[in-house]
Structure formats: C-alpha cells, structure tokens
Coordinates of all heavy atoms in Angstrom, one line a residue:
E1 N 104.5 163.3 155.5 CA 105.3 162.1 155.7 C 105.6 161.9 157.1 O 105.8 162.9 157.9 CB 106.6 162.1 154.8 CG 106.4 162.2 153.3 CD 106.5 163.7 152.9 OE1 106.3 164.6 153.7 OE2 106.9 163.9 151.7
S2 N 105.8 160.7 157.6 CA 106.3 160.4 158.9 C 106.9 159.0 158.9 O 106.8 158.3 157.9 CB 105.1 160.4 159.9 OG 104.1 159.4 159.6
G3 N 107.6 158.7 160.0 CA 108.2 157.3 160.1 C 109.7 157.3 159.9 O 110.3 156.2 160.0
G4 N 110.3 158.4 159.5 CA 111.7 158.3 159.3 C 112.5 158.3 160.6 O 111.9 158.4 161.7
G5 N 113.8 158.1 160.6 CA 114.6 158.0 161.8 C 115.9 157.3 161.5 O 116.3 157.1 160.4
L6 N 116.6 157.0 162.6 CA 117.9 156.3 162.5 C 117.7 154.8 162.7 O 117.0 154.4 163.6 CB 118.8 156.9 163.6 CG 120.1 156.2 163.8 CD1 121.0 156.4 162.6 CD2 120.8 156.7 165.1
V7 N 118.3 154.1 161.8 CA 118.1 152.6 161.9 C 119.5 152.0 161.5 O 120.2 152.6 160.7 CB 117.0 152.1 160.9 CG1 117.3 152.5 159.5 CG2 116.8 150.6 161.1
Q8 N 119.8 150.8 162.1 CA 121.0 150.2 161.7 C 120.9 149.5 160.4 O 119.8 149.1 160.0 CB 121.4 149.2 162.8 CG 121.7 149.8 164.2 CD 122.2 148.8 165.2 OE1 122.0 147.6 165.0 NE2 122.9 149.3 166.2
P9 N 122.1 149.3 159.7 CA 122.0 148.5 158.5 C 121.4 147.1 158.7 O 121.6 146.5 159.7 CB 123.5 148.3 158.2 CG 124.2 149.5 158.8 CD 123.4 149.8 160.0
G10 N 120.6 146.7 157.8 CA 119.8 145.5 157.9 C 118.5 145.6 158.6 O 117.6 144.7 158.6
G11 N 118.2 146.8 159.1 CA 116.9 147.1 159.8 C 115.8 147.4 158.9 O 116.0 147.5 157.6
S12 N 114.7 147.8 159.5 CA 113.5 148.1 158.7 C 112.8 149.4 159.2 O 113.0 149.7 160.4 CB 112.4 146.9 158.8 OG 112.9 145.8 158.3
L13 N 112.1 150.0 158.4 CA 111.3 151.2 158.7 C 110.1 151.2 157.8 O 110.1 150.7 156.7 CB 112.1 152.5 158.5 CG 113.1 153.0 159.5 CD1 113.8 154.3 159.0 CD2 112.4 153.2 160.9
R14 N 109.0 151.8 158.3 CA 107.8 152.0 157.5 C 107.5 153.5 157.5 O 107.2 154.0 158.5 CB 106.6 151.2 158.0 CG 105.5 151.2 157.0 CD 104.3 150.4 157.4 NE 103.5 151.1 158.4 CZ 102.2 150.8 158.6 NH1 101.6 149.9 157.9 NH2 101.5 151.4 159.6
L15 N 107.6 154.0 156.3 CA 107.2 155.4 156.1 C 105.7 155.5 155.8 O 105.2 154.7 155.1 CB 108.0 156.0 155.0 CG 109.5 156.0 155.1 CD1 110.2 156.7 153.9 CD2 110.0 156.5 156.4
S16 N 105.1 156.6 156.3 CA 103.7 156.8 156.0 C 103.5 158.2 155.3 O 104.3 159.1 155.6 CB 102.9 156.8 157.3 OG 102.9 155.6 157.9
C17 N 102.6 158.3 154.4 CA 102.3 159.5 153.8 C 100.8 159.7 153.9 O 100.0 159.1 153.2 CB 102.6 159.5 152.3 SG 102.1 160.9 151.3
A18 N 100.4 160.6 154.9 CA 99.0 160.8 155.1 C 98.5 162.0 154.3 O 99.1 163.1 154.3 CB 98.8 161.2 156.6
A19 N 97.4 161.8 153.6 CA 96.9 162.8 152.7 C 95.6 163.4 153.3 O 94.8 162.7 154.0 CB 96.5 162.2 151.3
S20 N 95.4 164.7 152.9 CA 94.2 165.4 153.3 C 93.8 166.3 152.2 O 94.6 166.6 151.3 CB 94.4 166.2 154.6 OG 95.4 167.1 154.4
G21 N 92.5 166.6 152.1 CA 92.0 167.5 151.1 C 91.6 166.8 149.8 O 90.9 167.5 149.0
D22 N 91.9 165.6 149.7 CA 91.5 164.9 148.5 C 91.8 163.4 148.8 O 92.6 163.1 149.7 CB 92.2 165.3 147.2 CG 91.3 165.2 146.0 OD1 90.3 164.5 146.0 OD2 91.7 165.9 145.0
A23 N 91.3 162.5 147.9 CA 91.4 161.1 148.1 C 92.7 160.6 147.4 O 92.8 160.9 146.2 CB 90.2 160.3 147.6
V24 N 93.5 159.9 148.0 CA 94.7 159.3 147.4 C 94.4 158.4 146.3 O 95.2 158.1 145.4 CB 95.7 158.7 148.4 CG1 96.3 159.7 149.3 CG2 95.1 157.5 149.1
S25 N 93.2 157.8 146.3 CA 92.8 156.8 145.4 C 92.8 157.3 143.9 O 92.9 156.5 143.0 CB 91.5 156.2 145.7 OG 90.5 157.1 145.8
I26 N 92.6 158.6 143.8 CA 92.5 159.2 142.4 C 93.9 159.7 141.9 O 94.0 160.3 140.8 CB 91.5 160.3 142.4 CG1 91.9 161.5 143.2 CG2 90.1 159.8 142.8 CD1 91.0 162.7 143.0
Y27 N 94.9 159.5 142.7 CA 96.3 160.0 142.3 C 97.2 158.8 142.1 O 97.1 157.8 142.7 CB 96.9 160.9 143.5 CG 96.2 162.2 143.7 CD1 95.1 162.3 144.4 CD2 96.7 163.3 143.1 CE1 94.4 163.5 144.6 CE2 96.1 164.6 143.3 CZ 95.0 164.7 144.0 OH 94.4 165.9 144.2
S28 N 98.1 159.0 141.2 CA 99.3 158.2 141.1 C 100.2 158.7 142.2 O 100.6 159.9 142.3 CB 100.0 158.2 139.8 OG 99.2 157.7 138.8
M29 N 100.7 157.8 143.1 CA 101.5 158.1 144.2 C 102.9 157.6 144.1 O 103.1 156.5 143.5 CB 100.8 157.6 145.5 CG 99.4 158.0 145.8 SD 99.3 159.8 146.0 CE 100.2 160.0 147.6
G30 N 103.8 158.3 144.7 CA 105.2 157.9 144.6 C 106.0 158.3 145.8 O 105.6 159.2 146.5
W31 N 107.0 157.5 146.1 CA 108.0 157.9 147.1 C 109.4 158.2 146.3 O 109.8 157.4 145.5 CB 108.3 156.8 148.0 CG 107.2 156.6 149.1 CD1 106.2 155.7 149.0 CD2 107.1 157.3 150.3 NE1 105.4 155.9 150.1 CE2 105.9 156.9 150.9 CE3 107.8 158.3 150.9 CZ2 105.5 157.4 152.2 CZ3 107.4 158.8 152.1 CH2 106.3 158.3 152.7
Y32 N 109.9 159.4 146.6 CA 111.2 159.8 146.1 C 112.2 160.0 147.2 O 111.8 160.1 148.4 CB 111.1 161.1 145.3 CG 110.3 161.0 144.0 CD1 109.0 160.8 143.9 CD2 111.0 161.2 142.8 CE1 108.3 160.7 142.7 CE2 110.4 161.2 141.6 CZ 109.0 160.9 141.5 OH 108.4 160.9 140.3
R33 N 113.4 160.0 146.9 CA 114.4 160.3 147.9 C 115.5 161.2 147.4 O 115.8 161.2 146.2 CB 115.0 159.0 148.5 CG 115.9 158.2 147.6 CD 116.3 156.9 148.2 NE 117.1 156.1 147.4 CZ 117.5 154.8 147.6 NH1 117.1 154.3 148.8 NH2 118.2 154.2 146.8
Q34 N 116.1 161.9 148.3 CA 117.2 162.8 147.9 C 118.3 162.7 148.9 O 118.1 163.1 150.1 CB 116.8 164.3 147.7 CG 117.8 165.2 147.1 CD 117.3 166.5 146.6 OE1 116.2 166.9 147.0 NE2 118.0 167.2 145.8
A35 N 119.5 162.2 148.5 CA 120.6 162.1 149.4 C 121.4 163.4 149.2 O 121.3 164.1 148.2 CB 121.4 160.9 149.0
P36 N 122.3 163.7 150.2 CA 123.1 164.9 150.2 C 123.9 165.0 148.9 O 124.6 164.0 148.6 CB 123.9 164.8 151.4 CG 123.1 164.0 152.4 CD 122.4 163.0 151.5

C-alpha cells in the first residue's frame, strides 16, 4: 500500500495497492482500516 499521509478535514487522498506475484484480476480485493 501507498498514498497515506496527513490531510485536513474535507480533503482527499488516493491510496494505491500494488500487487506482485499474481494478477489482482483473479482476486476479490478489499480495503480495510483499523483505528487505535
């Protein structure tokens, strides 16, 4: 994963998940999050 950082409320970010070793097209993909 990449693209995280500090942003102000109301702002935008785009996260990327770069895959290697296999094609993402054959996987169900998801984004999860964990807050403290």
Side-chain angles (χ1 to χ4, degrees):
E1 302 97 333
S2 62
L6 174 65
V7 62
Q8 292 187 342
S12 298
L13 281 176
R14 188 177 78 157
L15 305 183
S16 299
C17 172
S20 61
D22 214 345
V24 293
S25 59
I26 64 173
Y27 290 84
S28 292
M29 302 295 297
W31 284 97
Y32 287 71
R33 67 186 180 188
Q34 187 166 18

